[in-house]
Amino acid sequence: AQSVTQLDSHVSVSEGTPVLLRCNYSSSYSPSLFWYVQHPNKGLQLLLKYTSAATLVKGINGFEAEFKKSETSFHLTKPSAHMSDAAEYFCVVTQDGDTGRRALTFGSGTRLQVQP
Amino acid sequence: NAGVTQTPKFQVLKTGQSMTLQCAQDMNHNSMYWYRQDPGMGLRLIYYSASEGTTDKGEVPNGYNVSRLNKREFSLRLESAAPSQTSVYFCASSDASDEQFFGPGTRLTVL
């Protein structure tokens, strides 16, 4: 069975400083990995995805994530936080299940707070 | 394109009442999903539909039923609502790349 662990439920940074949101996963097969962002009272929006191509994935709004198979990690980073980055972020893993359908597992989320 | 739309946006029910949450997508996606989101638990899959006419249980299907009416529409029904079903419900659809597109959500309160 697959699982996703987001290591921090809450991260607070100052505007202009780097952002690091941590995600570890476990998976029996070669997974696809995603990061989604959810702004208050909104649906989820895809930030970036890894699907076994380049291990460093660039997404929207300056975010990027590196897939490290040896560490089973897929941490999300951004060099300089902006106030508009304040939101909840979800790490998601998907893989083929026993029935052949794609199973998706969401992490519990990390709330990013950006201080002025 | 509207993407994924959901109705209603908000709903308050009494225990035992029934209701249907509607979802539609205009992206010609085959797969559609219903999730619930509870504080500190991320999103959990309720039901999934790989294509028109097929549905599959997810992680938390008890107390729910679904209908894939056609390729565009995927509805979620609560036959007898319970307070434990108070949550935010999201519908999503996906293409062959697995990228999921989410609706704006329905905030449901069961008293």
Side-chain angles (χ1 to χ4, degrees):
Chain A
Q2 62 199 29
S3 66
V4 177
T5 301
Q6 291 185 242
L7 297 164
D8 306 292
S9 60
H10 183 257
V11 170
S12 182
V13 301
S14 298
E15 191 175 19
T17 64
V19 175
L20 170 64
L21 305 183
R22 298 181 295 166
C23 173
N24 286 109
Y25 71 93
S26 68
S27 173
S28 302
Y29 307 99
S30 297
S32 295
L33 292 156
F34 304 79
W35 276 98
Y36 281 84
V37 61
Q38 184 181 29
H39 287 93
N41 300 314
K42 300 285 186 186
L44 280 75
Q45 179 186 16
L46 181 69
L47 271 181
L48 50 81
K49 61 182 177 181
Y50 166 77
T51 54
S52 75
T55 56
L56 183 62
V57 182
K58 293 188 184 300
I60 62 171
N61 300 334
F63 284 94
E64 61 182 38
E66 186 172 6
F67 174 70
K68 291 187 176 180
K69 188 173 181 178
S70 60
E71 298 176 10
T72 60
S73 69
F74 190 57
H75 301 334
L76 181 71
T77 60
K78 183 173 180 178
S80 175
H82 191 271
M83 296 296 291
S84 61
D85 294 329
E88 185 135 22
Y89 293 79
F90 293 95
C91 183
V92 181
V93 61
T94 178
Q95 66 179 54
D96 288 321
D98 292 338
T99 60
R101 72 171 174 88
R102 303 289 284 182
L104 298 102
T105 302
F106 282 75
S108 56
T110 297
R111 184 164 296 279
L112 176 64
Q113 187 176 18
V114 182
Q115 308 281 1
Chain B
N1 288 350
V4 180
T5 57
Q6 292 182 235
T7 56
K9 287 195 167 71
F10 301 94
Q11 184 71 49
V12 179
L13 294 177
K14 295 180 179 177
T15 297
Q17 287 185 316
S18 62
M19 78 161 295
T20 300
L21 281 64
Q22 306 287 354
C23 173
Q25 52 93 7
D26 61 3
M27 295 173 282
N28 202 36
H29 288 164
N30 283 320
S31 299
M32 296 186 73
Y33 312 80
W34 276 105
Y35 295 92
R36 60 177 289 172
Q37 184 179 28
D38 301 294
M41 300 187 75
L43 273 72
R44 291 181 294 168
L45 183 66
I46 304 172
Y47 269 95
Y48 159 88
S49 172
S51 62
E52 183 180 351
T54 67
T55 61
D56 203 354
K57 292 180 179 179
E59 184 184 353
V60 288
N62 290 345
Y64 305 95
N65 286 302
V66 290
S67 296
R68 183 74 183 268
L69 304 169
N70 47 55
K71 192 169 186 178
R72 290 187 64 247
E73 297 172 289
F74 189 39
S75 62
L76 178 72
R77 183 159 178 84
L78 286 69
E79 289 291 352
S80 178
S84 60
Q85 293 178 305
T86 293
S87 189
V88 182
Y89 291 86
F90 287 99
C91 177
S93 68
S94 69
D95 55 16
S97 74
D98 287 331
E99 177 180 349
Q100 297 208 354
F101 296 81
F102 287 82
T106 295
R107 191 172 295 273
L108 175 66
T109 301
V110 183
L111 303 174

